Amino acid sequence: MLLALASGAALLLSLPPYGLWWLAPAGIAGLAAATHRRRFRGALGVGFLAGVVLFVPLLDWTRIAAGWLPWMLLSLAQAFYLGLLGMASAWLSPLTDRFRALWPLLTGLLWVAQEALRDRAPFGGFPWGRVAFSQGDAPALRVAVLGGAPLVTFIAAAAGGALVALAWRTWKPRTLVPAAGFAVALAVLVFGPALVPTAKPATATQTIAIVQGNVPRLGLDFNAQRAAVLLNHVHATEALASEVKLGRKPQPDLVVWPENSSDIDPLKNQDAAQQIAQAADAIGVPILLGTVLRGDVPGEIRNASLLWQPATGPDLDQAYVKRHPVPFAEYMPMRSVARLVSDKVDLVQNMVAGTTPGIVKTPIGVVGDVICFEVAYDSIVRDTVVGGAQILATQTNNATFNEAEARQQLAMVQLRSVEHGREGLMVSTVGVSAFTGTDGTVIAATGFNVDAVVLHDMHIGGPRTLATRLGHWPELTMVALALFALLAAAPLRRRRTRGIPAAE
């Protein structure tokens, strides 16, 4: 139990905002050791306990918007997946006892399979807290160019498997050679990925400005202040235009505003349209803005990104509607049941999901656009690159959360830039906003709950990476191998139940 508590804490500290990436393998090793040779119920409990220690503080930002009960329900649901992982680890104990060299491989495969399930179910999954998202400053991040987030998770988890195998050895002369082998494997898994070359972006650059207009104050009543938020972004863009005219700032080729920067539908509200047009005309280049489009059906809305041209206004052919609205936040499954959990349920409107990838053609090139939490989902980001995206943009609104959530999201943007060989940006209403390079570096990150305008010369385009071309195949292969290992352990388990010891 103490080992499970320590493992959950290590996994938590490996993720932003702490960023102690090297604790992820240690936490994985601790959980593998804690569940090894345990009965299924005990392994489920140990894994669940580690998950509680990880997810309750990690997802604390959900409490700010939704209250403590939804926060706890979400955290406990995520912890249950680590409980299932603990059971799977216990099931494989006879296999790892018989073939100690399999510790790294099997540990890596189980973590990939666990995340593959958690990323998809229920209601489309919730990938927050993936091991891959803890590796922003680690050498392991570089393998994203080969197999995406699942391969990064596999490498970090396999390092944990090598660590537990190394610690499990009894120090006798006959065990020194295997122990040395596990030590070498651990070193290769931790530091070897540094040798993997990241994608080289194209040489052509364009100047992009991201506008973080800030909000009057943080909190759930953000939507009631939407007029002030829009004006913040308009005024910040106009101030940038003045700086450009004075020669103090370079002329941007594109301006990007965050999600909900115009929470008033500019296609239906002339005042909002006039203010946005005023900003676009002042800066003289298109603005990619986040807005909420109201449908003809009462209560139906669309979370959208819209390209607004100077002089001519909105380009309706270059708009993106969020494909993956967040359940219980942007739409409400089982509304009558959810009312028993929170009295804020009816604040959630019915957000209609988009049906096409976020491919926005602008004068500077094709922008691969995703909105807020969508950056956590592998396929949603990849679809934009397959569709021709030359840079990646994540528009988000962190006004109802906190800085920890924003930095967790930025780590995902880092990984996506490496994975697809596309420079990226994240622009938030309140922060953190930043640019990311194809090697995972974070450039010009802003503070939180401040207004800021940042310009950066982004490289436009580049060759497609192996990860982009392979898509889900690396993950599917590893999940299939994990299932095969679980089946392969069955004969050894029957042998153990008959009283025949497994070979050492």
Side-chain angles (χ1 to χ4, degrees):
M1 300 291 280
L2 291 175
L3 195 53
L5 292 171
S7 298
L11 289 167
L12 172 67
L13 294 175
S14 71
L15 288 154
Y18 313 103
L20 303 178
W21 61 265
W22 45 271
L23 284 177
I28 290 167
L31 185 57
T35 56
H36 188 63
R37 295 177 179 169
R38 291 193 67 88
R39 296 182 183 274
F40 292 147
R41 186 169 60 182
L44 173 66
V46 166
F48 180 77
L49 179 60
V52 168
V53 175
L54 166 61
F55 286 110
V56 169
L58 182 72
L59 303 179
D60 172 70
W61 46 268
T62 62
R63 172 183 53 83
I64 301 171
W68 71 271
L69 186 54
W71 162 46
M72 292 303 298
L73 289 175
L74 176 61
S75 301
L76 296 179
Q78 298 303 299
F80 177 71
Y81 288 93
L82 288 197
L84 294 179
L85 174 68
M87 291 178 64
S89 180
W91 172 267
L92 291 180
S93 295
L95 196 58
T96 48
D97 280 338
R98 187 177 182 90
F99 306 104
R100 292 291 175 88
L102 291 179
W103 265 109
L105 175 65
L106 296 179
T107 305
L109 293 177
L110 287 184
W111 273 88
V112 172
Q114 175 265 141
E115 289 186 352
L117 178 61
R118 189 165 67 85
D119 297 352
R120 291 168 173 82
F123 305 112
F126 189 68
W128 224 264
R130 293 169 74 177
V131 172
F133 299 150
S134 72
Q135 300 297 293
D137 297 322
L141 183 69
R142 298 174 76 96
V143 303
V145 75
L146 304 177
L151 186 58
V152 178
T153 288
F154 174 82
I155 292 296
L163 181 60
V164 71
L166 176 62
W168 203 271
R169 304 304 300 180
T170 54
W171 292 102
K172 298 177 182 178
R174 68 182 180 88
T175 67
L176 293 180
V177 172
F182 287 127
V184 170
L186 176 62
V188 169
L189 288 165
V190 173
F191 300 108
L195 302 176
V196 176
T198 53
K200 299 296 182 184
T203 56
T205 63
Q206 300 283 351
T207 302
I208 313 296
I210 53 177
V211 177
Q212 178 179 305
N214 208 3
V215 300
R217 63 185 183 275
L218 301 180
L220 188 63
D221 60 348
F222 164 73
N223 288 334
Q225 306 170 72
R226 56 190 183 273
V229 174
L230 173 57
L231 281 175
N232 283 355
H233 288 86
V234 169
H235 292 159
T237 304
E238 291 175 335
L240 172 62
S242 298
E243 293 285 294
V244 171
K245 289 178 181 177
L246 294 173
R248 296 173 182 170
K249 296 282 180 68
Q251 172 67 51
D253 300 297
L254 177 70
V255 175
V256 186
W257 290 2
E259 176 191 24
N260 297 128
S261 51
S262 177
D263 207 29
I264 305 170
D265 184 350
L267 302 183
K268 294 183 179 297
N269 186 293
Q270 288 302 311
D271 290 339
Q274 183 178 358
Q275 291 164 357
I276 297 168
Q278 181 180 316
D281 291 343
I283 196 64
V285 298
I287 298 174
L288 183 62
L289 63 101
T291 187
V292 175
L293 302 179
R294 310 287 166 178
D296 295 330
V297 178
E300 280 193 355
I301 59 174
R302 288 169 174 81
N303 192 347
S305 181
L306 184 62
L307 189 68
W308 198 284
Q309 299 279 2
T312 58
D315 186 346
L316 299 182
D317 292 329
Q318 303 305 323
Y320 168 61
V321 176
K322 188 175 185 180
R323 295 169 64 194
H324 196 296
V326 179
F328 304 102
E330 294 178 321
Y331 75 96
M332 189 59 61
M334 304 180 299
R335 189 178 291 267
S336 59
V337 177
R339 286 194 186 98
L340 302 176
V341 177
S342 173
D343 58 0
K344 298 175 181 176
V345 164
D346 290 322
L347 294 175
V348 180
Q349 294 178 285
N350 295 316
M351 186 169 288
V352 179
T355 57
T356 58
I359 301 167
V360 181
K361 296 178 182 177
T362 75
I364 68 156
V366 182
V367 176
D369 189 38
V370 297
I371 297 176
C372 199
F373 289 7
E374 290 185 319
V375 71
Y377 296 88
D378 297 346
S379 61
I380 292 179
V381 180
R382 178 179 178 267
D383 285 349
T384 69
V385 182
V386 172
Q390 295 170 291
I391 62 171
L392 302 176
T394 300
Q395 296 170 286
T396 187
N397 173 21
N398 307 110
T400 53
F401 302 128
N402 59 20
E403 186 173 356
E405 184 270 347
R407 295 199 175 278
Q408 290 160 16
Q409 203 168 24
L410 181 57
M412 303 174 195
V413 182
Q414 282 181 268
L415 185 142
R416 300 307 179 194
S417 285
V418 177
E419 179 180 12
H420 298 295
R422 297 290 185 270
E423 294 198 343
L425 66 87
M426 173 170 141
V427 58
S428 168
T429 47
V430 297
V432 176
S433 303
F435 295 91
T436 56
T438 59
D439 60 353
T441 55
V442 175
I443 303 159
T446 66
F448 188 75
N449 198 19
V450 297
D451 56 278
V453 176
V454 183
L455 292 94
H456 179 61
D457 292 336
M458 296 186 71
H459 293 87
I460 307 299
R464 288 189 182 180
T465 65
L466 182 62
T468 303
R469 296 196 298 270
L470 292 176
H472 284 311
W473 282 109
E475 182 183 46
L476 290 173
T477 300
M478 287 185 278
V479 170
L481 289 173
L483 294 175
F484 176 78
L486 292 171
L487 290 174
L492 295 178
R493 295 200 63 83
R494 287 196 297 267
R495 184 177 182 182
R496 176 172 286 185
T497 57
R498 292 171 184 168
I500 304 173
E504 286 291 336

